[in-house]
Amino acid sequence: MKRILISLFSVMFCCTLFAADLNPFAYDLSVVSYDAENFKVTLQYSLNAPASSVKIYAKDGTGTSYLLKEFGSRSATTYTVEIDLMDAMVNKGVPAGEDLSWYIDVARAARTVNAETCGRKINFRSPFSIDIDNNPNSPYFGRIVTTQANSNETRGVRAYKPNFTQIGSNYIGSIVSFPSGNWYNNTHLTPFRIRVLQDGTGKIFVSSADVGQSTYMWQVDPANLNNWSVFLTSNEMKEKTGHPEEDDTMANHNFDFRKKSNGEWELLLLSSSVNSKSTNCSSGYSYCGVYALGSDLSKKNYTQYIENKEGAPHEYIDDWFVASVLTGNAQFDPNGNILYSSYQQSKRPEESALIHQQRSNNAFATEYNAFERLKRKNTSNGGIRYSADFSKLAVGCGNDAKEVSICNASHSNGYLTISSLNEVDMITSSHNGAYIVDFAWDYASNLYACVRNSDDSAVRGVWVIACNLNGEAVSTPARDKFSIPCDPDKDCAVTCTATTGGRIVNGFSGGTQKACTEMTVKAEPVDNNYKFDKWTDQSGKTVSTNAIYTFRVVADMQLTAHFSGAVFNVTWWNL
């Protein structure tokens, strides 16, 4: 049995008087206008943060890229850029007559540290969970979604643009909001974990934490965030996760989606249930299972693998819960194995663990000695989250919303290795009752952390930590395409002339050519007294400095080969 391996290279970074900028990326890429007659296309994009350079590329069907525009330092705002398609074709070699993809590379200077805080970006009292749509093919690419779960405010979902501008207000869908009051004295239904399906559809799923109410998992329409439908029924949630039928019981449901290589989806469901009126929540249940959903999420074949009641009676777990009461988290790793945080409720509240469990033949190991514990202070209250490529793992410290560990993660032969652990003090001073409860990574390796349960308005909300990209550009492909217009049935008048001292030598001086035709013209000096300088078009613009010039006809063209007198070095001899 192998253990989770960890090398601790602890480097402390503190939030001081200054907050760093986020890693930038482009979003909302679109073609806003297309003028085929005048060979112009106008592109639009936005930046989530300041950038040191921005480059716009076109890509043809062979995968060849062509640089269209390049800019230096740019601020975080929306830009429109006009592209001269004739210039793109004639001077940059972009092919005509086919649909062209385009993308934007955005970069910033390399950071001097591996990770640094960018400060708080969203402020509200109880963000319970967070996720981001990181699929550029999604019409909602870059959108940030959170759950609002405080009894004194409207429960539901909040949505934000990548620049942290809120979209609308709270979306409550099917959530029933009850009168305010202490959670253990109040019957309420609360949105808990939120996740975006990273398949380009932008579908949103929300699970619930509740006291004395039926639990659900909802699917939220990304086009209308007030349109909620039940994805897992109360009966499915309770029977499959062991939620007891007691009015004083609170249950929380953590989940994660995974798309397998055959295109079918799996849903990991992790549940904790406790006696909500108990002062230390010492009586509880934890369950874990996986739904096989099929390729369209319509199947719901469930297998329950773990049951942990009243503290697991096994020496490897002692009285640890599989997940914490409120904020434990669980994720699939890239191989379909499970990583989750455990929580010890009564005997050693200062300790908790990360547990990595292998799956074999679509089944969990049935004995607790198949687990290995990674002791990490208060991981359960802090949440865990892989980056999109599974190369990084964020682990949060629950107490006082301070410590975030950003790890390099590798997976070999089914085992997880964590190395180069960097500690980031997100908030410098102590704040009682403030907890990091969930994480999300965005498209440019910025890490978002939810801080909840704090009456201190300077702490609560969503904080961001940026990881070093070593100056590498973040490339965002556009969903729209454009083309350089070319009508193969169109007749174009093409003339080629030469200035004094030169001549056209390939036999073509003018005539009618079909659009899209590729032509090659050649010019040479009439004698050694002249030399070739350049080709220009009808506007006088230089299109080539080579005597042999290949181009594609797209419109009427007037090409001129320019020559000048040759320069001779003369040496005089006195005889």
Side-chain angles (χ1 to χ4, degrees):
M1 179 173 61
K2 295 186 179 180
R3 297 175 180 270
I4 298 178
L5 304 177
I6 186 161
S7 302
L8 302 180
F9 303 102
S10 183
V11 182
M12 300 301 297
F13 305 109
C14 294
C15 176
T16 55
L17 293 176
F18 302 98
D21 285 326
L22 280 72
N23 295 326
F25 67 92
Y27 66 97
D28 284 350
L29 283 67
S30 63
V31 176
V32 294
S33 67
Y34 179 68
D35 184 353
E37 183 176 349
N38 294 302
F39 288 82
K40 305 290 184 184
V41 63
T42 301
L43 310 179
Q44 183 171 284
Y45 67 95
S46 298
L47 296 179
N48 70 312
S52 59
S53 71
V54 175
K55 297 178 180 180
I56 303 176
Y57 292 87
K59 182 185 289 188
D60 64 20
T62 69
T64 303
S65 294
Y66 308 86
L67 179 61
L68 299 179
K69 289 280 188 178
E70 183 174 6
F71 305 94
S73 178
R74 308 219 92 174
S75 59
T77 188
T78 299
Y79 296 91
T80 56
V81 179
E82 185 179 82
I83 303 296
D84 185 329
L85 296 177
M86 182 69 74
D87 174 71
M89 183 193 63
V90 173
N91 296 316
K92 297 180 173 65
V94 182
E98 65 175 87
D99 287 340
L100 299 167
S101 304
W102 59 287
Y103 62 95
I104 296 181
D105 279 359
V106 179
R108 57 150 290 151
R111 298 181 186 275
T112 58
V113 295
N114 289 336
E116 57 186 334
T117 179
C118 300
R120 183 180 57 174
K121 299 301 180 183
I122 300 173
N123 177 16
F124 66 99
R125 190 177 191 279
S126 289
F128 230 117
S129 184
I130 187 169
D131 206 9
I132 301 170
D133 190 338
N134 287 323
N135 191 322
N137 292 319
S138 169
Y140 315 102
F141 170 67
R143 185 162 69 180
I144 305 163
V145 289
T146 68
T147 50
Q148 163 64 46
N150 184 258
S151 58
N152 294 317
E153 300 175 271
T154 303
R155 300 183 181 94
V157 166
R158 291 175 178 238
Y160 299 84
K161 295 181 179 180
N163 63 0
F164 306 106
T165 301
Q166 187 171 0
I167 303 169
S169 55
N170 279 21
Y171 299 94
I172 62 173
S174 305
I175 292 287
V176 178
S177 183
F178 290 88
S180 62
N182 293 328
W183 65 275
Y184 50 82
N185 290 326
N186 186 22
T187 299
H188 64 246
L189 185 61
T190 298
F192 185 57
R193 196 65 71 210
I194 189 168
R195 292 294 180 256
V196 177
L197 206 64
Q198 303 293 336
D199 65 343
T201 64
K203 293 177 181 177
I204 300 169
F205 294 84
V206 178
S207 67
S208 64
D210 73 86
V211 175
Q213 282 288 311
S214 298
T215 56
Y216 299 92
M217 181 180 289
W218 291 276
Q219 180 174 326
V220 181
D221 182 356
N224 178 5
L225 296 178
N226 269 318
N227 183 11
W228 295 35
S229 58
V230 174
F231 183 71
L232 291 182
T233 66
S234 171
N235 182 59
E236 289 170 318
M237 296 290 281
K238 285 189 288 188
E239 285 191 354
K240 305 308 182 184
T241 60
H243 171 50
E245 295 282 357
E246 301 161 357
D247 288 341
D248 62 349
T249 297
M250 183 171 72
N252 307 290
H253 301 286
N254 297 276
F255 65 95
D256 188 29
F257 285 95
R258 170 181 178 249
K259 191 172 187 178
K260 300 194 297 183
S261 58
N262 63 2
E264 295 188 348
W265 289 91
E266 289 184 320
L267 170 65
L268 169 67
L269 189 61
L270 179 68
S271 175
S272 301
S273 303
V274 299
N275 184 324
S276 64
K277 293 181 179 179
S278 173
T279 57
N280 61 5
C281 297
S282 59
S283 174
Y285 300 71
S286 292
Y287 290 80
C288 186
V290 171
Y291 274 97
L293 300 176
S295 58
D296 59 357
L297 307 182
S298 61
K299 289 168 52 179
K300 295 180 182 178
N301 298 328
Y302 180 85
T303 303
Q304 182 166 292
Y305 297 111
I306 301 174
E307 178 180 353
N308 178 14
K309 297 182 179 180
E310 304 292 348
H314 194 286
E315 59 179 347
Y316 279 86
I317 297 297
D318 301 321
D319 56 354
W320 297 53
F321 281 178
V322 173
S324 76
V325 178
L326 290 176
T327 52
N329 211 334
Q331 276 201 275
F332 285 115
D333 76 4
N335 301 313
N337 298 319
I338 309 301
L339 180 68
Y340 52 86
S341 58
S342 71
Y343 186 46
Q344 196 276 342
Q345 287 286 355
S346 56
K347 290 186 178 180
R348 290 190 299 275
E350 77 281 359
E351 292 182 350
S352 55
L354 295 181
I355 298 176
H356 184 245
Q357 183 178 357
Q358 294 187 31
R359 295 170 66 193
S360 176
N361 298 322
N362 290 326
F364 281 73
T366 56
E367 297 183 5
Y368 285 122
N369 61 9
F371 298 93
E372 287 296 335
R373 297 190 313 202
L374 168 65
K375 290 186 177 180
R376 178 79 188 96
K377 184 178 180 182
N378 292 307
T379 55
S380 57
N381 271 348
I384 55 174
R385 197 72 188 270
Y386 278 114
S387 58
D389 63 358
F390 295 97
S391 66
K392 296 184 180 68
L393 176 69
V395 181
C397 173
N399 284 352
D400 299 338
K402 286 188 67 176
E403 201 171 81
V404 177
S405 301
I406 300 175
C407 316
N408 292 325
S410 62
H411 306 80
S412 178
N413 298 321
Y415 295 97
L416 167 66
T417 301
I418 302 174
S419 61
S420 300
L421 188 80
N422 295 315
E423 306 287 353
V424 180
D425 267 3
M426 191 172 63
I427 304 169
T428 56
S429 58
S430 177
H431 297 269
N432 292 330
Y435 296 94
I436 302 172
V437 293
D438 196 19
F439 289 115
W441 295 85
D442 75 6
Y443 191 71
S445 290
N446 298 301
L447 176 65
Y448 295 61
C450 282
V451 178
R452 72 172 301 271
N453 268 4
S454 174
D455 291 326
D456 188 341
S457 61
V459 176
R460 65 197 185 200
V462 177
W463 293 69
V464 183
I465 297 168
C467 293
N468 189 18
L469 297 177
N470 297 315
E472 296 178 2
V474 177
S475 184
T476 304
R479 297 172 64 241
D480 295 341
K481 292 186 177 182
F482 64 86
S483 64
I484 297 177
C486 194
D487 181 2
D489 294 327
K490 179 181 178 180
D491 291 325
C492 300
V494 180
T495 61
C496 294
T497 59
T499 61
T500 301
R503 62 189 173 196
I504 308 300
V505 296
N506 64 344
F508 180 83
S509 60
T512 299
Q513 298 290 326
K514 291 292 185 181
C516 302
T517 302
E518 187 176 272
M519 293 187 60
T520 298
V521 291
K522 181 180 178 181
E524 66 179 14
V526 294
D527 56 40
N528 291 335
N529 294 319
Y530 297 91
K531 65 181 183 65
F532 173 82
D533 289 332
K534 60 184 177 180
W535 287 97
T536 62
D537 63 15
Q538 59 270 23
S539 68
K541 183 178 180 180
T542 299
V543 293
S544 179
T545 56
N546 295 320
I548 300 175
Y549 174 44
T550 299
F551 60 96
R552 190 179 299 275
V553 177
V554 293
D556 294 344
M557 302 181 69
Q558 299 174 14
L559 298 175
T560 303
H562 294 261
F563 292 83
S564 61
V567 177
F568 300 96
N569 293 319
V570 179
T571 301
W572 295 90
W573 296 87
N574 293 319
L575 300 177

